[in-house]
Amino acid sequence: MSITLRDSLASLTVPDLKDLVSHLPGSTTATRKDDLIERIVVAMLGPDLTAIWSRLDETQQAAVAEAAHHPLGEYSDQRFRARYQRAPAFRVAVAKSYGYSAGKSTALCLFIQYARDEGSYVVPTDLRARLQAFVPPPAPPGIDSSDTLAEDERLTVRLTEREALQEVVIMLRTIEQTRVQVSDKTALPGTATLRLLGDKLPSGDHYAGEVKQNPWDQEVGPIKAFAWPMLLQAGGLAVGVAGRLQLSPSGVKALGLPPAQVLRGLWQKWLKTTLFDEFSRVDAIKGQNAKGRVMTAVAPRRAAIEDTLRVCPIGRWVAFDDFSRHMRASDRVFAVTHDAWKLYLCERQYGSLGYDGSGGWNILQDRYILTFLFEYAATLGLVDVAYFHPKQARADFGGMWGADDLAFLSRYDGLSAFRVTPLGAYLLGREAAYQPAAVASSVALSFAPGLHVDVVRGVLAAEETLLLDNWAVPVQAGTWRLDLEKSLSAIEKGHDIGELKGFLESTGGLPLPPPVESFIGLCEHNGKALKTLGSALLIECRDADTAEQIAGRRETSSLCLRAGPKTLVVRTNQLDKFREKVRSLGFGMVS
């Protein structure tokens, strides 16, 4: 953006220029526009510049520093307010103001001026070079975080890392074994599917199902149960066929991969997918599907959020409002809609978000970020979440027309804080590999015959319960039994039984009993005894002679195996080649 000080001043009126001249050292008798401009240019590009700068207050100096060191010399009021929680004074109110007068210009207007052609406030190019010589650049904006959260009995804290590692396998198995329904047109899961998947979540969804007291009451509804089928479809692991989900070849392969690796692939695919706009889940805001270009592309929105997640500290809580403010302070901004006038609450004309104060960052961008973090990043285990019930969690929409009957603007309004998990660091590419952390415990365990594990002191933490859930079955309160079938299933899902061993050793206080050691050794030895190489198809021949002819011919013998007198087995990825060779032998194959 290139505009000189002289060019910028030329667009001002004589009264505006006289206001600016009044802030210069010394006096002047100039009244002509050209003379006033010359007076300002000589002062601002000459030795008086540092003296004029020193007369600015601290906030005004910060504004000049931000703009002078910006790559384009721009001043953004949104960026400045987000970073400093205040705004610099460009105008000073006069004692008596009439009409639309906003008062006299302050000295700040000598430094930051409005570029009409660009529609933005800038420091002119030649002045910027002079300022950069002595005005120190602002420090990069930081992001506040904490080790702990303030105690609040209404606050729910959800540790998502272990849940995600379990759930991704559960969801893939559910799709493999169950007729999971989705819409052919939108790929969205229906009510029955949401109920089915919600029941499969080991720790349930974020909010328990609520019974509506009145027909007009808002429902929070499923969050994780909705996210999983969307993530798996976007990631190419599940595909809709005739209104039902089935695993793709990649989905079948994913069942044999470490869950963390599968989750990383889902995250990377979600960032680019056009399958779904998360903002459509903010269903109180209508008009999103109106004619014309209403909503912006989703990929730039997600990229801005991911870039900000990359600078969040790992394992420390970040308040959502601080995260949102940091995005604006660091210029990681995005648009949700091309035309806010087409979006509305309740009624198109009176409830339009195009009115001042109705479609700001807090209503549009914040609700998108909330949805993205709570429904997708948290479901994949990228962030732990701390949240309230969304009802009246955010009151920023209460004054909008059409909001009188809304208890919340979105089901995600309750998200209060989050923290990037070690798994999240891996998903974001901040760590090259992922290793589940050993569970540090304050409980004491003892061992009883029959592979029973008893809690003799303390209470299991949520992540400890999830850990035992992988390898053992609850017998009664405080007692678990190590289970071979469950443990083999956990190893199949990619879990490391060494994690269980480390937990039992750290909480048992003594070496593990021989039966437990033997159990763990057996699981390690047999857990990966078989390996899935791919899917195959059973083909029935009309008779045993036909099966023998095909299986015994050089052209087809390497493409199939006998599985019975009349039955052949062919790998799915070899099916087309097998069909071609069989046809060359004079046989046809039908479904």
Side-chain angles (χ1 to χ4, degrees):
M1 188 175 299
S2 179
I3 182 173
T4 66
L5 178 60
R6 190 181 297 277
D7 290 340
S8 178
L9 294 172
S11 65
L12 301 180
T13 64
V14 169
D16 290 337
L17 293 168
K18 287 183 176 180
D19 273 355
L20 295 180
V21 168
S22 69
H23 297 293
L24 301 178
S27 59
T28 183
T29 58
T31 57
R32 293 177 61 253
K33 183 172 183 176
D34 288 347
D35 294 337
L36 292 168
I37 291 174
E38 186 64 24
R39 174 77 173 89
I40 296 170
V41 169
V42 169
M44 296 298 290
L45 300 183
D48 290 333
L49 179 60
T50 54
I52 301 169
W53 154 264
S54 66
R55 294 180 183 180
L56 299 176
D57 64 33
E58 181 182 356
T59 303
Q60 291 173 324
Q61 288 183 350
V64 173
E66 288 280 343
H69 290 280
H70 185 272
L72 300 177
E74 289 182 347
Y75 169 80
S76 164
D77 189 62
Q78 174 180 258
R79 182 175 66 237
F80 190 90
R81 287 176 182 269
R83 180 168 186 181
Y84 296 93
Q85 306 294 291
R86 58 186 187 274
F90 281 86
R91 298 276 176 176
V92 57
V94 294
K96 292 183 179 181
S97 179
Y98 301 97
Y100 294 98
S101 173
K104 290 173 62 66
S105 299
T106 66
L108 181 58
C109 295
L110 287 165
F111 297 85
I112 301 175
Q113 297 168 13
Y114 185 67
R116 298 184 187 278
D117 291 343
E118 305 293 343
S120 59
Y121 289 88
V122 300
V123 176
T125 309
D126 45 359
L127 178 58
R128 195 190 322 164
R130 296 289 312 282
L131 290 169
Q132 289 174 350
F134 70 92
V135 175
I143 186 166
D144 295 334
S145 64
S146 60
D147 285 326
T148 59
L149 295 166
E151 291 188 12
D152 191 322
E153 61 182 11
R154 301 168 303 156
L155 189 69
T156 299
V157 176
R158 194 74 176 254
L159 307 180
T160 66
E161 185 170 348
R162 294 184 185 277
E163 290 183 357
L165 293 168
Q166 281 187 302
E167 288 171 4
V168 66
V169 181
I170 291 171
M171 292 297 140
L172 288 170
R173 290 294 184 194
T174 300
I175 292 172
E176 180 186 46
Q177 301 166 4
T178 310
R179 296 164 70 87
V180 177
Q181 296 181 330
V182 293
S183 167
D184 275 335
K185 183 177 181 181
T186 65
L188 300 182
T191 303
T193 294
L194 292 173
R195 189 181 304 114
L196 167 69
L197 298 183
D199 290 342
K200 295 288 185 180
L201 297 171
S203 301
D205 216 320
H206 290 303
Y207 296 102
E210 300 174 342
V211 179
K212 292 174 65 172
Q213 301 299 316
N214 304 292
W216 56 84
D217 288 344
Q218 290 176 273
E219 288 184 288
V220 177
I223 293 179
K224 299 177 77 173
F226 182 91
W228 274 119
M230 305 309 296
L231 287 163
L232 294 173
Q233 289 179 88
L237 304 187
V239 293
V241 178
R244 300 184 187 279
L245 286 183
Q246 65 181 35
L247 292 186
S248 66
S250 296
V252 174
K253 182 179 179 181
L255 286 168
L257 297 176
Q261 183 179 334
V262 178
L263 293 170
R264 188 176 191 178
L266 290 176
W267 171 256
Q268 292 169 345
K269 291 289 184 64
W270 187 259
L271 293 175
K272 301 176 183 178
T273 185
T274 57
L275 174 70
F276 185 65
D277 183 345
E278 300 92 338
F279 194 81
S280 65
R281 292 280 281 160
V282 186
D283 39 35
I285 296 180
K286 313 298 182 184
Q288 298 182 44
N289 294 319
K291 291 183 179 180
R293 296 175 69 231
V294 180
M295 309 304 290
T296 61
V298 288
R301 302 185 218 158
R302 296 170 184 152
I305 299 172
E306 189 199 30
D307 285 347
T308 314
L309 287 170
R310 289 177 184 275
V311 301
C312 288
I314 299 170
R316 289 177 60 85
W317 290 102
V318 175
F320 172 79
D321 290 337
D322 288 338
F323 181 80
S324 174
R325 188 161 46 246
H326 181 79
M327 288 191 70
R328 286 169 282 155
S330 57
D331 258 351
R332 295 183 176 96
V333 295
F334 59 89
V336 171
T337 178
H338 293 292
D339 187 357
W341 285 102
K342 291 186 177 180
L343 303 179
Y344 62 92
L345 297 182
C346 189
E347 199 277 331
R348 188 182 304 273
Q349 180 177 356
Y350 297 104
S352 172
L353 301 192
Y355 292 111
D356 287 345
S358 295
W361 179 278
N362 63 316
I363 300 299
L364 294 175
Q365 283 85 346
D366 270 355
R367 261 55 187 203
Y368 179 80
I369 302 168
L370 284 164
T371 308
F372 183 81
L373 292 176
F374 206 175
E375 191 158 85
Y376 299 94
T379 296
L380 291 173
L382 194 148
V383 293
D384 293 329
V385 286
Y387 55 95
F388 299 98
H389 192 281
K391 185 178 181 180
Q392 299 175 344
R394 294 181 175 272
D396 55 349
F397 64 95
M400 296 169 59
W401 196 98
D404 294 348
D405 295 330
L406 296 179
F408 49 83
L409 189 59
S410 84
R411 58 177 54 85
Y412 317 99
D413 280 8
L415 181 60
S416 174
F418 66 88
R419 65 181 175 188
V420 177
T421 65
L423 175 61
Y426 172 68
L427 266 58
L428 291 167
R430 296 172 63 177
E431 297 291 343
Y434 171 72
Q435 180 64 41
V439 178
S441 179
S442 60
V443 304
L445 301 178
S446 66
F447 304 97
L451 298 176
H452 284 73
V453 180
D454 298 314
V455 179
V456 295
R457 187 183 70 248
V459 178
L460 290 171
E463 63 268 27
E464 295 169 337
T465 302
L466 284 171
L467 174 62
L468 283 176
D469 268 337
N470 283 331
W471 313 96
V473 293
V475 176
Q476 60 186 25
T479 299
W480 301 72
R481 177 176 54 81
L482 297 175
D483 183 79
L484 181 60
E485 185 175 342
K486 206 167 190 185
S487 297
L488 293 176
S489 176
I491 293 173
E492 288 175 356
K493 296 173 184 177
H495 294 287
D496 182 2
I497 200 169
E499 188 180 8
L500 171 68
K501 183 178 182 180
F503 172 65
L504 295 179
E505 288 175 337
S506 67
T507 54
L510 295 171
L512 296 180
V516 176
E517 284 278 13
S518 177
F519 172 83
I520 292 174
L522 178 65
C523 291
E524 286 178 326
H525 183 66
N526 287 346
K528 298 180 180 179
L530 288 77
K531 182 179 180 181
T532 301
L533 295 179
S535 57
L537 192 68
L538 284 175
I539 298 174
E540 185 179 54
C541 301
R542 66 186 173 192
D543 51 46
D545 287 342
T546 303
E548 178 61 32
Q549 288 185 59
I550 295 173
R553 293 294 291 268
R554 177 177 56 82
E555 298 91 331
T556 51
S557 60
S558 62
L559 300 175
C560 63
L561 293 172
R562 296 291 293 271
K566 298 193 301 179
T567 307
L568 302 175
V569 180
V570 179
R571 284 190 182 182
T572 304
N573 62 358
Q574 298 272 20
L575 187 59
D576 289 341
K577 187 175 182 180
F578 176 80
R579 188 189 300 272
E580 178 186 339
K581 295 296 184 181
V582 165
R583 195 180 296 123
S584 71
L585 297 178
F587 298 105
M589 187 171 70
V590 296
S591 299

